Amino acid sequence: MTTADWLHLFLYYLLLSLMSVGGAIATAPDMHRFLVSEHGWLTDLQFNNSIAIAQSAPGPNVLFVGLFGWNVGMNAAGSAPHGWLMGALGLVVCMVGVLLPSSTVTWLTIRWAQRHRERRAVRAFRLGLAPLVVGLICSTGWVLAGSSGGIMQAWPLWSLSAVTALIVWRTRIHLLWLLAAGAALGAIGLV
Amino acid sequence: MAPPATPTTTPEPAPERPANLKALFWAFTWLALQGFGGVLAVVQRELVTRRRWLSNEEFIEDWAVAQILPGPNVVNLSIMIGDRYFGLRGAATAVLGMLAIPTFLVVGLAVVYLHFSSIPQVAGALRGMGAVAAGLVMGAGLRLTGALARHPLGGPLAMAFAVVTFIAMGLLRLPLGWVLLVVGGFACTLTWFRLGLAAASTLHGEPRP
């Protein structure tokens, strides 16, 4: 990785950031094209593992982009401790790149919308999308439940998801208890 | 402060708010640390149900905007909520809270991952937590259906839009852009007309100067 390579990586994420409507994960296929196929800065395995780790770890899923950067830096430097420094550099380059433009757009837009919130068009826009948001959130849960297989093969996992959904909907039990129960059921091989 | 408005369109203000930037930072850190498999389910639970910084209606509206703008939705939501209470400093604090400590955690996990991923119990626990995480998101969505009853379109019509969106995205897996454009465009246009009618009838009932 030369300085020009780092700059190239940074610019790529700055541009991608503005296209990441629907979240960063929606642009993952393009990141694969750029990082793995085109430049070979990341292996296929590192690409897939980074997404899996970020999804199963606490925190926003966008952290998988940081892990990409971490691995790019590690690949470039080889072993610790130099590798950790380069990994940290890669992480910062990718995360700042992917977040800075979109966050700036978001901040400017909400400032504008706040000033004009009494306008009929602004209110119609925010309120009109509300039912879609409810549908989108439910479908996100549905897609996540389906990531481990169809209802027929993976019915224990689907049942666990369904029971969890009902409990969350109807009770106020703390989410961490549910996650702990899921981890326990998985560890003893029941789901 | 906020001007008096028609009851159907302006959500009730939530009664609580963060005390200072430090409280905001730790609230978002705590949120992020609970968010296995995504933070969305936890955001609704923590900020609406437990801390009461937002009403369900405000949450849905904010989430709609966070979703349609570029960038990760939870980061956009953090910017919106942080900015509302403390301006730009609040927005930056909320995003930092959401990212700082989880970043260290996720890198740490990546470093040790290869050593433990082959143990079947660990893989099983991750699988079980993934299924629960899916249920958490779904449950959060179901909780929000209650807020649609007070929508200007009327409860049943608003629910119908939610169901159509679920079918299009969850079952048919259509691209988000098209769903937002077609279903969202229709919903926003209809809402625009309803708001106009509501404003006209309000003006007719009690004319303002």
Side-chain angles (χ1 to χ4, degrees):
Chain A
M1 293 288 285
T2 62
T3 309
D5 283 341
W6 284 115
L7 208 61
H8 192 180
L9 183 66
F10 187 56
L11 285 176
Y12 168 76
Y13 271 111
L14 286 179
L15 271 178
L16 194 74
S17 174
L18 293 173
M19 292 184 269
S20 61
V21 176
I25 197 80
T27 53
D30 196 72
M31 294 185 206
H32 186 273
R33 177 193 63 75
F34 182 82
L35 295 170
V36 182
S37 312
E38 203 168 292
H39 291 279
W41 289 336
L42 209 59
T43 68
D44 245 324
L45 187 68
Q46 287 174 325
F47 187 90
N48 287 338
N49 278 349
S50 297
I51 293 184
I53 292 169
Q55 292 220 318
S56 55
N61 289 340
V62 67
L63 288 172
F64 76 86
V65 175
L67 279 185
F68 286 170
W70 171 264
N71 280 314
V72 169
M74 294 280 279
N75 290 347
S79 57
H82 187 49
W84 287 36
L85 262 177
M86 291 300 270
L89 171 68
L91 187 145
V92 170
V93 164
C94 289
M95 284 304 279
V96 172
V98 80
L99 288 179
L100 193 61
S102 64
S103 298
T104 309
V105 168
T106 296
W107 189 69
L108 294 175
T109 308
I110 57 163
R111 276 289 161 111
W112 180 87
Q114 185 63 19
R115 271 201 306 279
H116 301 284
R117 70 188 144 163
E118 292 309 315
R119 279 194 194 174
R120 188 169 154 203
V122 172
R123 284 164 61 210
F125 180 73
R126 292 178 66 120
L127 284 164
L129 287 177
L132 274 81
V133 169
V134 175
L136 282 176
I137 291 174
C138 289
S139 53
T140 301
W142 184 265
V143 170
L144 284 176
S147 64
S148 49
I151 294 185
M152 290 305 167
Q153 314 98 299
W155 64 265
L157 287 172
W158 279 88
S159 317
L160 180 56
S161 300
V163 170
T164 306
L166 276 177
I167 292 174
V168 171
W169 187 18
R170 288 301 181 190
T171 74
R172 295 172 63 111
I173 189 172
H174 203 281
L175 305 179
L176 287 183
W177 290 114
L178 297 171
L179 282 163
L185 285 173
I188 59 176
L190 274 180
V191 294
Chain B
M1 293 304 285
T6 46
T8 46
T9 52
T10 303
E12 272 182 41
E16 308 286 338
R17 56 169 289 152
N20 50 40
L21 284 175
K22 208 170 139 189
L24 188 72
F25 179 87
W26 287 113
F28 275 89
T29 300
W30 176 232
L31 259 180
L33 290 181
Q34 291 179 83
F36 292 85
V39 179
L40 162 64
V42 190
V43 175
Q44 194 271 341
R45 180 72 155 217
E46 278 282 314
L47 296 189
V48 180
T49 311
R50 284 197 53 227
R51 294 183 198 263
R52 314 216 315 159
W53 289 356
L54 298 168
S55 68
N56 255 331
E57 286 84 352
E58 286 171 319
F59 175 77
I60 294 181
E61 283 187 41
D62 285 352
W63 190 256
V65 176
Q67 180 109 41
I68 202 148
L69 291 170
N73 303 333
V74 286
V75 173
N76 286 348
L77 194 71
S78 313
I79 293 171
M80 296 172 73
I81 294 171
D83 179 77
R84 183 165 311 148
Y85 296 118
F86 301 108
L88 183 56
R89 286 183 313 153
T93 303
V95 172
L96 272 182
M98 184 68 87
L99 293 178
I101 292 176
T103 299
F104 283 102
L105 216 62
V106 92
V107 170
L109 272 175
V111 170
V112 295
Y113 175 76
L114 287 175
H115 300 282
F116 293 101
S117 60
S118 53
I119 302 174
Q121 282 83 359
V122 172
L126 278 179
R127 199 170 54 238
M129 282 164 69
V132 167
L136 296 182
V137 175
M138 186 77 101
L142 290 172
R143 288 171 80 98
L144 291 173
T145 54
L148 292 182
R150 292 177 291 281
H151 196 275
L153 289 177
L157 190 53
M159 257 326 272
F161 273 113
V163 171
V164 167
T165 306
F166 175 76
I167 293 171
M169 294 295 300
L171 304 184
L172 304 178
R173 307 283 170 99
L174 299 178
L176 176 68
W178 287 109
V179 175
L180 286 178
L181 206 65
V182 176
V183 186
F186 193 48
C188 288
T189 311
L190 219 53
T191 306
W192 190 79
F193 279 115
R194 287 289 169 92
L195 287 177
L197 287 177
S201 63
T202 312
L203 279 179
H204 193 70
E206 36 182 89
R208 286 185 227 165

